[in-house]
Amino acid sequence: LFAEAVKKRPELKLIITSATLDAEKFSKYFFGCPIFIPGCTYPIEILYTKEPESDYLDVSYQIV
C-alpha cells in the first residue's frame, strides 16, 4: 500500500522506526529509499516462550 502511494506521490515522506527492521531490505522494497540511522543503535535480545501464551501483551508487561 505504501509502495503504491510513494510511486504516485513522490512528495510523500514516510518515516519508519523499529529496533528490528531490516533496513536494507526495506530500502530495496521502497525503490532504494535513503536510510538514516541517527544516534546509537542497541542490540536486541529475543526471548521465546516454551508454550504459546494466551495474552502476549500481559506477558510482555510482566517481563518488562
Side-chain angles (χ1 to χ4, degrees):
L1 186 62
F2 284 121
E4 290 177 27
V6 170
K7 279 184 180 179
K8 293 178 182 178
R9 307 235 351 239
E11 77 281 2
L12 181 66
K13 304 297 181 206
L14 177 64
I15 298 172
I16 302 292
T17 61
S18 171
T20 59
L21 179 74
D22 182 342
E24 294 294 327
K25 187 175 183 180
F26 185 84
S27 176
K28 287 178 186 175
Y29 180 79
F30 280 99
F31 322 107
C33 68
I35 300 171
F36 301 100
I37 304 177
C40 298
T41 56
Y42 298 95
I44 304 292
E45 182 181 0
I46 299 174
L47 305 172
Y48 295 95
T49 60
K50 293 180 182 178
E51 307 262 337
E53 297 291 341
S54 61
D55 186 349
Y56 284 98
L57 184 60
D58 185 49
V59 172
S60 65
Y61 283 134
Q62 292 174 19
I63 291 172
V64 172

